[in-house]
Amino acid sequence: MTAGSPRNGTENERDGPRRIKSVCTAATVIDVIKQQQGGSLTDISQELELTKGTVHTYLQTLVDCGFVTRENGEYRLSFQFIALGEHVRNETDLYMAGHSEVDALAERTGEYAHLIGEERGRETVLYESRGEFAVAMDYHLRMRETPQHLHDTAAGKAILAHVPTDRRDEIIANQEFERQTANTITDAAELRETLADIRERGYAVNDEEEIRGMRAVGAPVLGPDETVVGAVSVTAPTSRLKDERFRTEMPEQVMETANLIEVNLETARFDS
Amino acid sequence: MTAGSPRNGTENERDGPRRIKSVCTAATVIDVIKQQQGGSLTDISQELELTKGTVHTYLQTLVDCGFVTRENGEYRLSFQFIALGEHVRNETDLYMAGHSEVDALAERTGEYAHLIGEERGRETVLYESRGEFAVAMDYHLRMRETPQHLHDTAAGKAILAHVPTDRRDEIIANQEFERQTANTITDAAELRETLADIRERGYAVNDEEEIRGMRAVGAPVLGPDETVVGAVSVTAPTSRLKDERFRTEMPEQVMETANLIEVNLETARFDS
DNA sequence: CCTTAAAATTTGCAGATATCAAACGCCGGT
DNA sequence: ACCGGCGTTTGATATCTGCAAATTTTAAGG
């Protein structure tokens, strides 16, 4: 991930649109702190290719701005991100319209239920609710920390299936379908077929495509203007999600929840 | 909040330590977007005192870096903040050690229970759990979106009471105690007395000092090295939190929870 | 307590870059 | 077709950034 930027400096103002270089650098600093889970000035400046003096100035600035804190010699991302995240969440209509319904779904099924949003071809967990029997906490914890690709989850495929054609092509083109398990779909053509099926049926499944032993069912949530705004899904161990329950019962429950959320979106007005 | 920075530009490099100006500007842009709940280029550039051209470059940069998205002509903060917030949360020992205990507390009391962390003299909600009878959702929603002052909440006072003396003095000196209700403590001397009491008793109360009709009880959580790492609190309408329950029962439950969390902190190893 | 090494912070300087103004392009409305 | 508002691009210059190296602080031993 650290690759990216061209060796700036001497002669690379070829054509790209104008950007604020220092802001990009600051973003990289934040990313390094995230990746390394905090660290000393020396740690961080070694990871970036910048002088300690330079990185020091960046870190001081980020501390001043409240994005980073220092605690006995270690820099780490500040709690401000928690508050900002909460703010973004509460601004998101899908979250406001859907979190209670997802709670109900988790309760009814006893498993993990998720409300998923999409941005830049990645999915973000907007809300998670744990049913009584929910398993794989660690996995879900990681899910929430990083926007995931769309090709190997039920919610992701449900969203991808309903995104406008041009955007779908763009996402599929710019993304490598990393193999997670034997079942992961890594072929673009196969993925397209699956997506057509999903549009047909109205729901998506994830049959141990991301984690061995885990299945999931996901349904898209369409906004008032028929564009997809996100998805709902339930994830459970294969042993508890098979046959009828996997093929009929769970899809019905997930789609029902998605439908309820759609109604909430139509009905409610989420004023500023 | 937008005040702050000295009129940079002509002649203010008097003495302050060196900072990256563009990063500060970008932080302001983010803050404006947060405050205005998104907006057009024109909106945002009017709020800042910068040319549209300049702000345009900043916004493009922030979009590239993934902090901002554009959706039909409106810029808003991206879902990335949700993921980053989650990451910070999961890195925080207090959260890992305490969220289940707070769930239990909310269940036992039937009210809102919170796990609070402190940073830069402000409190951040690390975790919130709603008991069966919990009320005032909107208020708690706002609480989660912005780090609060420490003088008018139970958790805040519990933390402030146990912070090292020098830091406490610094926080009290640099903070204005905004009056929220008739009961808000706005006098530094009075606050100091209250804090001494709190250290004595081991818990803090908030008797309609922030919201009329709402009371709260908070207890500090001390880390392995005896420094305060945060607090636990329960908030309830005054009608359900009075007499014995307010003075004895609830403090005991909150302190017990805080104690359990302390034990978890001592015991568990939260490896990177 | 003193010595030494490592880490953090500060500073001068030269080259890179952010900012403004102004021009341009793109709509939607009349 | 004309106008007005909004977004985008661009050239030029004053300003800021980033390196290197000096200085201070902190930590570790002896």
Side-chain angles (χ1 to χ4, degrees), chain B residues 178-220:
Chain B
E178 211 175 330
R179 174 170 298 286
Q180 303 292 344
T181 72
N183 289 8
T184 310
I185 299 175
T186 56
D187 177 64
E190 192 187 340
L191 181 61
R192 279 173 203 284
E193 268 182 56
T194 313
L195 296 179
D197 287 354
I198 291 166
R199 275 192 296 277
E200 197 84 9
R201 284 195 316 240
Y203 69 92
V205 301
N206 166 355
D207 186 2
E208 310 200 355
E209 293 163 42
E210 201 200 357
I211 303 277
R212 277 193 309 125
M214 292 291 264
R215 281 178 164 173
V217 174

Short mmCIF file of all heavy atoms in Angstrom, two decimals, chain B residues 178-220:
data_model
loop_
_atom_site.label_atom_id
_atom_site.label_comp_id
_atom_site.label_asym_id
_atom_site.label_seq_id
_atom_site.Cartn_x
_atom_site.Cartn_y
_atom_site.Cartn_z
N GLU B 178 -18.66 25.75 30.87
CA GLU B 178 -19.90 26.28 30.31
C GLU B 178 -21.09 25.82 31.14
O GLU B 178 -21.19 24.65 31.49
CB GLU B 178 -20.03 25.77 28.87
CG GLU B 178 -20.76 26.72 27.96
CD GLU B 178 -20.74 26.20 26.53
OE1 GLU B 178 -19.76 25.52 26.16
OE2 GLU B 178 -21.69 26.47 25.80
N ARG B 179 -21.97 26.73 31.43
CA ARG B 179 -23.16 26.38 32.20
C ARG B 179 -24.17 25.70 31.29
O ARG B 179 -24.53 26.22 30.24
CB ARG B 179 -23.78 27.63 32.83
CG ARG B 179 -25.12 27.36 33.53
CD ARG B 179 -25.62 28.54 34.34
NE ARG B 179 -24.71 28.90 35.41
CZ ARG B 179 -24.55 28.20 36.52
NH1 ARG B 179 -25.24 27.10 36.72
NH2 ARG B 179 -23.69 28.61 37.43
N GLN B 180 -24.61 24.51 31.72
CA GLN B 180 -25.62 23.78 30.93
C GLN B 180 -26.98 23.84 31.61
O GLN B 180 -28.00 23.91 30.96
CB GLN B 180 -25.20 22.32 30.75
CG GLN B 180 -23.84 22.12 30.10
CD GLN B 180 -23.82 22.55 28.65
OE1 GLN B 180 -24.87 22.73 28.03
NE2 GLN B 180 -22.63 22.72 28.09
N THR B 181 -26.97 23.77 32.92
CA THR B 181 -28.21 23.82 33.69
C THR B 181 -27.93 24.63 34.95
O THR B 181 -26.81 25.06 35.19
CB THR B 181 -28.67 22.42 34.15
OG1 THR B 181 -27.78 21.98 35.19
CG2 THR B 181 -28.66 21.43 33.02
N ALA B 182 -28.95 24.80 35.77
CA ALA B 182 -28.79 25.53 37.03
C ALA B 182 -27.77 24.86 37.93
O ALA B 182 -27.10 25.51 38.73
CB ALA B 182 -30.13 25.65 37.74
N ASN B 183 -27.62 23.54 37.80
CA ASN B 183 -26.74 22.80 38.69
C ASN B 183 -25.30 22.70 38.22
O ASN B 183 -24.45 22.20 38.96
CB ASN B 183 -27.27 21.38 38.89
CG ASN B 183 -28.54 21.36 39.72
OD1 ASN B 183 -29.11 22.42 40.02
ND2 ASN B 183 -28.99 20.18 40.08
N THR B 184 -25.02 23.10 37.02
CA THR B 184 -23.65 22.97 36.49
C THR B 184 -22.66 23.69 37.40
O THR B 184 -22.90 24.82 37.82
CB THR B 184 -23.55 23.60 35.09
OG1 THR B 184 -24.60 23.09 34.27
CG2 THR B 184 -22.20 23.29 34.46
N ILE B 185 -21.56 23.02 37.69
CA ILE B 185 -20.49 23.66 38.47
C ILE B 185 -19.67 24.50 37.51
O ILE B 185 -19.06 23.99 36.58
CB ILE B 185 -19.59 22.60 39.13
CG1 ILE B 185 -20.42 21.74 40.09
CG2 ILE B 185 -18.43 23.28 39.85
CD1 ILE B 185 -19.64 20.60 40.70
N THR B 186 -19.65 25.81 37.76
CA THR B 186 -18.92 26.67 36.84
C THR B 186 -17.76 27.38 37.55
O THR B 186 -17.03 28.13 36.93
CB THR B 186 -19.84 27.76 36.24
OG1 THR B 186 -20.43 28.49 37.32
CG2 THR B 186 -20.92 27.13 35.40
N ASP B 187 -17.61 27.09 38.82
CA ASP B 187 -16.56 27.74 39.60
C ASP B 187 -15.42 26.77 39.86
O ASP B 187 -15.64 25.65 40.34
CB ASP B 187 -17.15 28.24 40.92
CG ASP B 187 -16.08 28.86 41.79
OD1 ASP B 187 -15.51 29.88 41.37
OD2 ASP B 187 -15.81 28.30 42.87
N ALA B 188 -14.21 27.20 39.55
CA ALA B 188 -13.05 26.31 39.67
C ALA B 188 -12.86 25.81 41.10
O ALA B 188 -12.61 24.61 41.31
CB ALA B 188 -11.80 27.03 39.19
N ALA B 189 -13.00 26.70 42.07
CA ALA B 189 -12.81 26.31 43.47
C ALA B 189 -13.82 25.24 43.88
O ALA B 189 -13.47 24.22 44.47
CB ALA B 189 -12.93 27.53 44.37
N GLU B 190 -15.06 25.49 43.51
CA GLU B 190 -16.11 24.54 43.85
C GLU B 190 -15.83 23.19 43.18
O GLU B 190 -15.99 22.13 43.80
CB GLU B 190 -17.46 25.09 43.37
CG GLU B 190 -18.64 24.32 43.93
CD GLU B 190 -19.95 24.79 43.30
OE1 GLU B 190 -19.97 25.92 42.75
OE2 GLU B 190 -20.93 24.05 43.37
N LEU B 191 -15.38 23.26 41.95
CA LEU B 191 -15.07 22.03 41.23
C LEU B 191 -13.98 21.25 41.96
O LEU B 191 -14.09 20.04 42.18
CB LEU B 191 -14.64 22.34 39.80
CG LEU B 191 -14.32 21.14 38.92
CD1 LEU B 191 -15.52 20.22 38.76
CD2 LEU B 191 -13.81 21.57 37.55
N ARG B 192 -12.94 21.95 42.36
CA ARG B 192 -11.85 21.29 43.07
C ARG B 192 -12.33 20.58 44.34
O ARG B 192 -11.91 19.47 44.65
CB ARG B 192 -10.77 22.30 43.44
CG ARG B 192 -9.83 22.61 42.30
CD ARG B 192 -8.90 23.74 42.67
NE ARG B 192 -8.38 24.42 41.51
CZ ARG B 192 -7.43 23.93 40.73
NH1 ARG B 192 -6.90 22.76 41.01
NH2 ARG B 192 -7.01 24.60 39.68
N GLU B 193 -13.21 21.25 45.06
CA GLU B 193 -13.79 20.61 46.26
C GLU B 193 -14.52 19.34 45.91
O GLU B 193 -14.33 18.29 46.52
CB GLU B 193 -14.77 21.59 46.93
CG GLU B 193 -14.16 22.46 48.00
CD GLU B 193 -15.23 23.35 48.61
OE1 GLU B 193 -16.25 22.80 49.10
OE2 GLU B 193 -15.06 24.59 48.56
N THR B 194 -15.39 19.47 44.90
CA THR B 194 -16.14 18.30 44.46
C THR B 194 -15.21 17.16 44.10
O THR B 194 -15.44 16.00 44.45
CB THR B 194 -16.99 18.66 43.23
OG1 THR B 194 -17.67 19.89 43.49
CG2 THR B 194 -18.00 17.57 42.94
N LEU B 195 -14.15 17.50 43.40
CA LEU B 195 -13.21 16.46 42.97
C LEU B 195 -12.57 15.76 44.17
O LEU B 195 -12.35 14.55 44.16
CB LEU B 195 -12.14 17.06 42.05
CG LEU B 195 -12.67 17.62 40.73
CD1 LEU B 195 -11.52 18.21 39.91
CD2 LEU B 195 -13.41 16.57 39.92
N ALA B 196 -12.27 16.56 45.20
CA ALA B 196 -11.70 15.96 46.42
C ALA B 196 -12.70 14.97 47.03
O ALA B 196 -12.33 13.84 47.39
CB ALA B 196 -11.35 17.05 47.42
N ASP B 197 -13.95 15.38 47.10
CA ASP B 197 -15.00 14.47 47.58
C ASP B 197 -15.02 13.17 46.77
O ASP B 197 -15.14 12.08 47.32
CB ASP B 197 -16.40 15.12 47.42
CG ASP B 197 -16.61 16.21 48.46
OD1 ASP B 197 -15.74 16.37 49.34
OD2 ASP B 197 -17.66 16.88 48.38
N ILE B 198 -14.93 13.35 45.47
CA ILE B 198 -15.02 12.20 44.58
C ILE B 198 -13.88 11.22 44.86
O ILE B 198 -14.09 10.01 44.93
CB ILE B 198 -15.00 12.66 43.10
CG1 ILE B 198 -16.29 13.40 42.77
CG2 ILE B 198 -14.80 11.48 42.17
CD1 ILE B 198 -16.26 14.17 41.48
N ARG B 199 -12.70 11.77 45.05
CA ARG B 199 -11.54 10.90 45.38
C ARG B 199 -11.81 10.16 46.68
O ARG B 199 -11.52 8.97 46.82
CB ARG B 199 -10.27 11.74 45.50
CG ARG B 199 -9.58 11.99 44.18
CD ARG B 199 -8.19 12.56 44.37
NE ARG B 199 -8.23 13.87 45.01
CZ ARG B 199 -8.43 15.01 44.37
NH1 ARG B 199 -8.61 15.00 43.06
NH2 ARG B 199 -8.45 16.16 45.01
N GLU B 200 -12.38 10.88 47.64
CA GLU B 200 -12.73 10.30 48.93
C GLU B 200 -13.67 9.11 48.76
O GLU B 200 -13.39 8.00 49.19
CB GLU B 200 -13.44 11.38 49.76
CG GLU B 200 -13.51 11.11 51.23
CD GLU B 200 -12.20 11.57 51.89
OE1 GLU B 200 -11.37 12.22 51.19
OE2 GLU B 200 -12.01 11.27 53.07
N ARG B 201 -14.80 9.39 48.10
CA ARG B 201 -15.89 8.41 47.99
C ARG B 201 -15.63 7.33 46.97
O ARG B 201 -16.20 6.25 47.03
CB ARG B 201 -17.16 9.14 47.54
CG ARG B 201 -17.87 9.94 48.58
CD ARG B 201 -19.26 10.26 48.06
NE ARG B 201 -19.22 10.69 46.67
CZ ARG B 201 -19.62 11.88 46.23
NH1 ARG B 201 -20.12 12.76 47.07
NH2 ARG B 201 -19.56 12.17 44.94
N GLY B 202 -14.85 7.66 45.96
CA GLY B 202 -14.59 6.67 44.91
C GLY B 202 -15.54 6.74 43.74
O GLY B 202 -15.40 5.99 42.77
N TYR B 203 -16.51 7.63 43.79
CA TYR B 203 -17.40 7.77 42.63
C TYR B 203 -17.87 9.21 42.50
O TYR B 203 -17.78 9.98 43.45
CB TYR B 203 -18.60 6.82 42.73
CG TYR B 203 -19.58 7.18 43.82
CD1 TYR B 203 -20.68 8.00 43.55
CD2 TYR B 203 -19.42 6.70 45.11
CE1 TYR B 203 -21.58 8.34 44.55
CE2 TYR B 203 -20.31 7.04 46.12
CZ TYR B 203 -21.38 7.86 45.84
OH TYR B 203 -22.25 8.20 46.82
N ALA B 204 -18.37 9.54 41.33
CA ALA B 204 -18.85 10.89 41.06
C ALA B 204 -20.32 10.85 40.68
O ALA B 204 -20.81 9.82 40.20
CB ALA B 204 -18.07 11.50 39.90
N VAL B 205 -21.01 11.94 40.95
CA VAL B 205 -22.40 12.00 40.48
C VAL B 205 -22.58 13.23 39.59
O VAL B 205 -21.80 14.17 39.63
CB VAL B 205 -23.42 12.08 41.65
CG1 VAL B 205 -23.29 10.88 42.55
CG2 VAL B 205 -23.27 13.38 42.41
N ASN B 206 -23.62 13.15 38.80
CA ASN B 206 -24.02 14.28 37.98
C ASN B 206 -25.50 14.47 38.27
O ASN B 206 -26.34 13.69 37.85
CB ASN B 206 -23.76 13.95 36.51
CG ASN B 206 -24.46 14.91 35.56
OD1 ASN B 206 -25.23 15.78 35.98
ND2 ASN B 206 -24.19 14.75 34.29
N ASP B 207 -25.80 15.52 39.04
CA ASP B 207 -27.17 15.72 39.49
C ASP B 207 -27.83 16.81 38.66
O ASP B 207 -27.87 17.96 39.05
CB ASP B 207 -27.14 16.11 40.98
CG ASP B 207 -28.55 16.18 41.56
OD1 ASP B 207 -29.51 15.90 40.81
OD2 ASP B 207 -28.67 16.51 42.75
N GLU B 208 -28.28 16.43 37.49
CA GLU B 208 -28.90 17.37 36.55
C GLU B 208 -27.96 18.53 36.24
O GLU B 208 -28.41 19.66 36.06
CB GLU B 208 -30.23 17.89 37.11
CG GLU B 208 -31.14 16.76 37.58
CD GLU B 208 -32.61 17.17 37.67
OE1 GLU B 208 -32.92 18.36 37.46
OE2 GLU B 208 -33.45 16.28 37.92
N GLU B 209 -26.69 18.23 36.12
CA GLU B 209 -25.73 19.30 35.86
C GLU B 209 -25.49 19.52 34.37
O GLU B 209 -24.88 20.50 33.97
CB GLU B 209 -24.39 18.96 36.55
CG GLU B 209 -24.50 18.97 38.06
CD GLU B 209 -23.33 18.25 38.72
OE1 GLU B 209 -22.19 18.45 38.27
OE2 GLU B 209 -23.56 17.49 39.70
N GLU B 210 -25.94 18.56 33.58
CA GLU B 210 -25.75 18.73 32.15
C GLU B 210 -27.10 18.83 31.43
O GLU B 210 -27.26 19.60 30.50
CB GLU B 210 -24.94 17.57 31.58
CG GLU B 210 -24.30 17.91 30.26
CD GLU B 210 -23.92 16.68 29.48
OE1 GLU B 210 -24.10 15.56 29.98
OE2 GLU B 210 -23.45 16.84 28.34
N ILE B 211 -28.03 18.00 31.87
CA ILE B 211 -29.36 17.98 31.28
C ILE B 211 -30.36 18.00 32.44
O ILE B 211 -30.22 17.20 33.36
CB ILE B 211 -29.60 16.67 30.50
CG1 ILE B 211 -28.53 16.48 29.42
CG2 ILE B 211 -30.99 16.63 29.91
CD1 ILE B 211 -28.78 17.21 28.15
N ARG B 212 -31.33 18.86 32.36
CA ARG B 212 -32.35 18.86 33.41
C ARG B 212 -33.10 17.53 33.35
O ARG B 212 -33.44 17.04 32.27
CB ARG B 212 -33.32 20.02 33.21
CG ARG B 212 -32.77 21.32 33.80
CD ARG B 212 -33.83 22.40 33.90
NE ARG B 212 -34.51 22.55 32.60
CZ ARG B 212 -35.82 22.46 32.43
NH1 ARG B 212 -36.63 22.25 33.45
NH2 ARG B 212 -36.34 22.61 31.23
N GLY B 213 -33.32 16.96 34.51
CA GLY B 213 -34.08 15.71 34.57
C GLY B 213 -33.24 14.46 34.44
O GLY B 213 -33.77 13.35 34.54
N MET B 214 -31.94 14.64 34.22
CA MET B 214 -31.09 13.46 34.08
C MET B 214 -30.00 13.46 35.14
O MET B 214 -29.32 14.47 35.35
CB MET B 214 -30.42 13.45 32.70
CG MET B 214 -31.39 13.21 31.56
SD MET B 214 -32.05 11.54 31.55
CE MET B 214 -30.93 10.78 30.39
N ARG B 215 -29.84 12.31 35.77
CA ARG B 215 -28.76 12.14 36.72
C ARG B 215 -27.83 11.05 36.22
O ARG B 215 -28.21 10.24 35.38
CB ARG B 215 -29.34 11.72 38.08
CG ARG B 215 -29.90 12.88 38.88
CD ARG B 215 -30.48 12.36 40.17
NE ARG B 215 -30.70 13.45 41.12
CZ ARG B 215 -31.32 13.29 42.29
NH1 ARG B 215 -31.78 12.09 42.65
NH2 ARG B 215 -31.47 14.31 43.10
N ALA B 216 -26.64 11.01 36.79
CA ALA B 216 -25.70 9.97 36.40
C ALA B 216 -24.74 9.68 37.54
O ALA B 216 -24.53 10.52 38.43
CB ALA B 216 -24.92 10.38 35.16
N VAL B 217 -24.20 8.48 37.53
CA VAL B 217 -23.20 8.08 38.51
C VAL B 217 -22.01 7.54 37.73
O VAL B 217 -22.19 6.75 36.80
CB VAL B 217 -23.75 6.99 39.44
CG1 VAL B 217 -22.66 6.47 40.36
CG2 VAL B 217 -24.93 7.51 40.24
N GLY B 218 -20.81 7.96 38.10
CA GLY B 218 -19.62 7.52 37.36
C GLY B 218 -18.50 7.10 38.29
O GLY B 218 -18.35 7.66 39.39
N ALA B 219 -17.72 6.13 37.87
CA ALA B 219 -16.57 5.70 38.65
C ALA B 219 -15.35 5.60 37.75
O ALA B 219 -15.46 5.20 36.59
CB ALA B 219 -16.85 4.34 39.28
N PRO B 220 -14.19 5.97 38.28
CA PRO B 220 -12.97 5.94 37.48
C PRO B 220 -12.48 4.51 37.28
O PRO B 220 -12.76 3.64 38.10
CB PRO B 220 -11.98 6.70 38.35
CG PRO B 220 -12.44 6.45 39.74
CD PRO B 220 -13.94 6.42 39.66
#
